[in-house]
Amino acid sequence: MFRSIESTGKIVPVISIDLNKPSRPLRLRRGSRGVHQLARALGQPLEAFQRRIVAALHGPEREVVVMLPRGNAKTALGSRAALGHLLTEPTASVALGSGSREQSQIAYDFMARDSEHPALDGEVEARLHAMRARRGGQLRVVSGRGHRVHGRTDSVFLLDELWSQDGTVLEAAETGLVKRPDARLWILSTAPLSADTPLGRLRERALALPNARRERDGAIVEASGDGLRWLEWSLDPELHDPDDVAFVAKRVNPASWITEAALREQHARLDPRSWLTFHGNVSHASSATWLPIGVWQACCAQPYTVAPGETLIVAADAGGGDAEKRSVTALAAMTLDGRVAHVQTWDGPDGALHVFPAIDKLAEKYNVYECVLDRWGMATEALRNQDRYRITQFQMNGGRQVQASEALIQLAIAGRLRCPDDPTLNAHSAHATTETTPLGARIVRAHRDPIDLITCLSLCAVRAQQPRKRFRVFTPAT
């Protein structure tokens, strides 16, 4: 550029400097050092806890799980680490996955904004749900349906918020690790709602490792081994008061921008389970949310017996489960005072055909007073066996669901419900929650997993409350 200087009349060159354009291209190192360089170049140097996470992501383990409470920028940090890998590896293939493509888009948007920074001018070309690096690396946002994710060969799979997923995307990502010796799976999430979830089972696997430990301050859990690295910031209710907002702000939420004042507002705003799950990062805090905390565990912890010849009410529920899952048929038998004698489930559409053969076996040992059946799913079987047992077809409308739900909840809270420590029954309880209706509270599914055994127990509980003018015992006809 040239400019005329009026005082001398001479034409002299003038240098034009674009302050937004870097003087030289950014050359990133591979691994964790490259992520540190990238963060500094973007004007957002990493905090201490973020440096610890980045070191874990680039450690020797190929599967890394990081659990942080909400608001600590785990998605932003994971997307920046994935972008650093995309920029430095010529053969990089990065996948962003979550429970839905819309949720994965959040991580992609972080990466897209970073790629528009002047420090990365010309390094990345952003497209719709995809990116291509100048050195050859590629990135794509994948579907939230696991069967559509199989077949990929990725060097990094970033899986966000596993707590809200059904595990099919996790399965596709884990099985894909065998395709590349340098492949890595990075999982960033808040705490699992129950132990019977993909993230809950993954956490149990990590805590079973020999070197699993909780650090002295009680907020950080770390484990490594068998190709898995686990890093978690969480509150342990057995070590610290869940209502100690100062501890939650200082130790459990390591980000500097999460203030104690903000968390005090959240503590007053949220119910205890939401507070523990999303800000205390407490695993399984939302298990069996249809009951107060600890009640279901108490129901399963007390030893009890059901003697042969005792009177039972038997209930069966057909169907349940998500449309993409197999249907579940459940059977439960309970004494008149709330002791559960038997629970059983069958997968598949023909589960209803197995119900009455199972009832016949129970009748050989106990006195079956009444069979309570789902009116819609068990209508045909009820007609076939109406001459053999006293059968009540229970119509699952709103009012009767509330009546059955409240009967079971009252039985459990009063301490009269006694249940076996059965894994399937515990899983159905963990998947259940309550929904407030104008008629009262009713037990419903918290997510898409079945709760049929809990439904059966509620049917037993409500029928056990009915007055019995004439006691009759039914046994299978010979």
Side-chain angles (χ1 to χ4, degrees), residues 64-70 72 74-75 98 103 158-165 186-193 198-200 202 230-233 277-278 281 283:
V64 182
V65 184
V66 177
M67 269 180 43
L68 276 170
R70 292 201 69 176
N72 285 270
K74 54 184 175 294
T75 302
S98 191
Q103 195 170 20
L158 178 61
L159 187 55
D160 195 22
E161 300 296 6
L162 180 58
W163 71 269
S164 64
Q165 301 173 37
W186 296 344
I187 301 173
L188 308 174
S189 182
T190 309
L193 299 181
L199 183 57
L202 192 58
W230 186 274
L231 188 57
E232 166 190 329
W233 279 260
T277 300
F278 296 106
N281 207 30
S283 298

Side-chain angles (χ1 to χ4, degrees), residues 200-213:
R201 290 187 288 271
L202 192 58
R203 186 174 187 268
E204 289 184 352
R205 174 188 157 199
L207 296 184
L209 294 172
N211 64 351
R213 63 187 180 92

Side-chain angles (χ1 to χ4, degrees), residues 330-461:
L331 174 72
M334 181 190 293
T335 64
L336 299 180
D337 60 357
R339 288 168 292 141
V340 178
H342 181 77
V343 291
Q344 190 172 358
T345 59
W346 298 271
D347 293 330
D350 60 344
L353 301 178
H354 302 285
V355 169
F356 276 95
I359 295 177
D360 292 342
K361 291 183 179 180
L362 287 173
E364 295 174 359
K365 184 177 180 181
Y366 305 102
N367 295 328
V368 177
Y369 178 81
E370 182 180 14
C371 297
V372 189
L373 306 180
D374 174 13
R375 180 175 181 179
W376 303 113
M378 299 289 299
T380 302
E381 293 303 306
L383 290 174
R384 290 177 180 174
N385 295 274
Q386 61 183 352
D387 296 332
R388 304 172 59 234
Y389 294 99
R390 179 198 298 271
I391 293 178
T392 299
Q393 296 189 55
F394 196 90
Q395 185 173 358
M396 302 294 284
N397 57 28
R400 301 198 74 182
Q401 280 184 327
V402 168
Q403 184 184 11
S405 299
E406 291 184 345
L408 181 61
I409 293 172
Q410 291 171 8
L411 190 67
I413 293 177
R416 299 197 306 272
L417 179 64
R418 293 289 180 264
C419 299
D421 191 14
D422 180 81
T424 305
L425 179 59
N426 291 335
H428 283 218
S429 176
H431 300 152
T433 187
T434 53
E435 178 183 70
T436 303
T437 71
L439 299 176
R442 66 176 180 178
I443 299 174
V444 297
R445 290 184 294 171
H447 301 287
R448 295 174 294 181
D449 298 296
I451 62 169
D452 300 81
L453 282 175
I454 301 301
T455 301
C456 291
L457 293 183
S458 69
L459 298 180
C460 292

